[in-house]
Amino acid sequence: MIPFSPPRIDGKTIEEVTKALLSGWITTGPRTKEFEKRLAAYCHIDHVLCVNSASAGLELALRWFGVGRGDEVILPAYTYAATANVVIHCGATPVFADCNKDDFNIDTEAVRKAITPRTKVIMPVDMGGFPCDYDSIHALINEKEIQNLFSPATETQRRLNRILILSDAAHSFGASYKGKKTGSLTDISVFSFHAVKNLTTAEGGALCLHLPADFDNEAVYRELCIKSLHGQTKDAFSKMQIGGWQYDIVEPGYKCNMTDIQAAIGLVELSRYDKDMLVKRKYIFDEYSKAFSEETWAEIPPYQTEDKISSHHVYMLRIKNITEEQRNAIIQAIFNKEVAVNVHFIPLPKMSYYQSRGYRMEDYPVAYAHFSREISLPVYYDLSEDDIRTVIQAVKSAVREVLHPTD
Ligand SMILES: *Cc1c(COP(=O)(O)O)cnc(C)c1O
């Protein structure tokens, strides 16, 4: 069986994790701080905070901005549950927007229609690693009329005085938009280092701070460090230094710090990310695209345009003119050929919890049209040349079997 997305764990990873384990310091400490610095340098920003998941990072950012009851947060209907669940955790209301026709990202015009005086945040998601249309999103929130609708309720909201752009960049570490890396494209961006993501720490995430000039990003970084550790003014590593035992609790904070064991994996991943991991991922994407562009039924996902370069996270193939049932049959036929594929994602309005809150799939026809025809193919570092050919053949024959059973 060709798996969908196993992590790349080799001698180097094991060696660095072992060093961390034997160093006498396994929770947040020097390795996490080093990882934060290197991530910031990679994204060309000054401040990155590592946390234990992207979900925690997104929630921390929403809470920092004071999002709560009565507020609305606009996000795509087409995303993983984490993006919307964290909004619910804060007591606010997720407002879904439909997708672009050509890619899987949020449609700026759909966002415009969803904005109300209660809108506090927009959370674009770089689906599959392909950056959203950030210029048009920024132009939208800076329009005078949209800005005038914004009704700040906290000091932080008053300081920004417009809708916050919090990008869910769970898929897009290493991607770029108009020559700038994700992490530096919006006010705050959050990466995921979950096991299946491009760069992993087993579980983990990072918050990238790129707030406008009225904010002191360094001060926000310190504030978020405290928020991510029970509102405690010193982390365990600083407390351990000579005479450093005193601390205060300034708020009932959360517990979502990254450990040095996680950071040890991340540092290895980052050190070979551009010249090794991304090169391989792009190669696999290109091989798939070459092979499927020969087929009239295939719709190749966009991943490189004049303005955007994807992180090549998920290869989201679509099959033209098929139903959801036919797509499901094709997936079954691919599995029968010992290849694991996936669907990214089942849109949130199809989920029973979100249905129980009154969201309906019919209201997001583009998201449904994408979802019902989508199949995500295996992309990972250890996928061999033979595996790539096997995946391509499996998909081609599966489509033939389902769509032309008599051939
Ligand atoms: C994986 C993922 C997340 C959550 O990441 P975690 O690190 O697992 O919390 C959020 N959004 C999207 C789109 C994801 O795919």
Side-chain angles (χ1 to χ4, degrees):
M1 185 82 173
I2 295 180
F4 182 69
S5 174
R8 178 186 182 190
I9 302 295
D10 60 10
K12 185 75 187 146
T13 321
I14 292 164
E15 185 187 328
E16 289 303 316
V17 168
T18 306
K19 277 193 206 155
L21 286 170
L22 297 175
S23 71
W25 197 264
I26 56 175
T27 182
T28 314
R31 282 180 171 79
T32 305
K33 295 299 147 190
E34 177 65 21
F35 188 39
E36 288 179 345
K37 285 206 185 76
R38 295 215 188 160
L39 288 167
Y42 184 91
C43 299
H44 301 287
I45 52 171
D46 292 328
H47 297 286
V48 171
L49 173 73
C50 283
V51 285
N52 66 7
S53 71
S55 305
L58 291 167
E59 184 165 339
L60 217 54
L62 291 174
R63 294 201 184 263
W64 167 80
F65 197 56
V67 172
R69 212 155 295 283
D71 293 335
E72 294 175 352
V73 175
I74 300 172
L75 59 116
Y78 202 103
T79 182
Y80 179 59
T83 327
N85 285 355
V86 295
V87 175
I88 306 263
H89 297 171
C90 295
T93 305
V95 175
F96 297 141
D98 209 348
C99 300
N100 290 323
K101 293 240 159 38
D102 301 334
D103 62 42
F104 296 82
N105 290 338
I106 198 164
D107 171 1
T108 308
E109 285 313 302
V111 172
R112 174 193 296 280
K113 294 198 187 89
I115 292 176
T116 76
R118 291 180 295 279
T119 308
K120 289 294 193 303
V121 180
I122 298 169
M123 294 167 79
V125 181
D126 301 328
M127 275 301 307
F130 192 62
C132 294
D133 299 319
Y134 287 111
D135 279 0
S136 77
I137 294 170
H138 282 118
L140 174 67
I141 57 150
N142 286 314
E143 280 178 22
K144 217 57 253 126
E145 266 171 55
I146 302 281
Q147 234 178 335
N148 289 341
L149 273 185
F150 186 71
S151 26
T154 66
E155 184 45 44
T156 313
Q157 292 173 9
R158 263 186 291 278
R159 182 167 299 174
L160 188 66
N161 204 29
R162 58 155 171 81
I163 296 170
L164 177 83
I165 306 296
L166 168 60
S167 87
D168 177 340
H171 294 184
S172 61
F173 182 73
S176 58
Y177 177 77
K178 299 194 170 171
K180 287 189 184 149
K181 286 265 198 280
T182 51
S184 71
L185 299 172
T186 65
D187 299 318
I188 304 181
S189 315
V190 178
F191 296 130
S192 172
F193 306 136
H194 175 270
V196 303
K197 298 302 191 323
N198 269 23
L199 185 154
T200 190
T201 59
E203 292 283 358
L207 275 137
C208 304
L209 301 178
H210 184 62
L211 291 156
D214 286 344
F215 287 85
D216 175 355
N217 283 294
E218 163 88 36
V220 176
Y221 169 83
R222 280 196 305 270
E223 201 183 324
L224 290 171
C225 280
I226 289 170
K227 220 181 236 330
S228 69
L229 201 88
H230 283 302
Q232 186 174 303
T233 51
K234 277 182 198 163
D235 65 21
F237 194 71
S238 335
K239 273 174 66 190
M240 187 204 63
Q241 310 304 313
I242 291 169
W245 62 272
Q246 292 235 35
Y247 64 94
D248 191 17
I249 299 292
V250 294
E251 62 169 314
Y254 304 90
K255 184 62 167 69
C256 54
N257 52 305
M258 177 178 277
T259 71
D260 268 23
I261 303 172
Q262 292 167 301
I265 305 174
L267 282 165
V268 174
E269 294 264 290
L270 187 56
S271 72
R272 57 198 187 188
Y273 192 64
D274 272 4
K275 53 182 192 295
D276 208 3
M277 312 276 267
L278 283 187
V279 173
K280 178 66 184 267
R281 300 190 81 94
K282 177 174 164 40
Y283 174 75
I284 298 168
F285 267 58
D286 287 342
E287 290 303 296
Y288 286 159
S289 294
K290 243 190 284 169
F292 294 119
S293 45
E294 297 164 356
E295 305 287 342
T296 52
W297 48 257
E299 200 170 326
I300 307 298
Y303 54 88
Q304 181 141 11
T305 64
E306 202 181 317
D307 291 337
K308 302 177 184 180
I309 302 172
S310 172
S311 63
H312 306 96
H313 178 51
V314 189
Y315 192 89
M316 303 169 77
L317 181 67
R318 275 166 291 174
I319 317 290
K320 291 177 187 160
N321 305 314
I322 57 166
T323 63
E324 186 180 341
E325 292 68 31
Q326 285 172 314
R327 187 276 312 274
N328 297 351
I330 295 168
I331 288 184
Q332 189 52 52
I334 298 172
F335 268 97
N336 291 345
K337 298 173 203 314
E338 308 269 305
V339 171
V341 291
N342 227 312
V343 172
H344 290 85
F345 288 98
I346 302 171
L348 297 180
K350 269 182 86 73
M351 300 297 183
S352 44
Y353 172 73
Y354 287 95
Q355 287 189 349
S356 78
R357 292 192 49 138
Y359 299 92
R360 299 177 323 153
M361 194 67 253
E362 307 87 270
D363 296 334
Y364 313 93
V366 185
Y368 181 76
H370 286 341
F371 153 76
S372 62
R373 303 186 296 111
E374 199 269 351
I375 303 174
S376 309
L377 307 185
V379 180
Y380 54 90
Y381 186 78
D382 294 315
L383 195 70
S384 71
E385 198 61 48
D386 278 355
D387 293 339
I388 296 173
R389 301 303 137 205
T390 306
V391 172
I392 292 167
Q393 273 324 307
V395 174
K396 287 189 175 186
S397 355
V399 171
R400 209 174 306 121
E401 282 164 32
V402 172
L403 299 186
H404 307 287
T406 52
D407 285 6

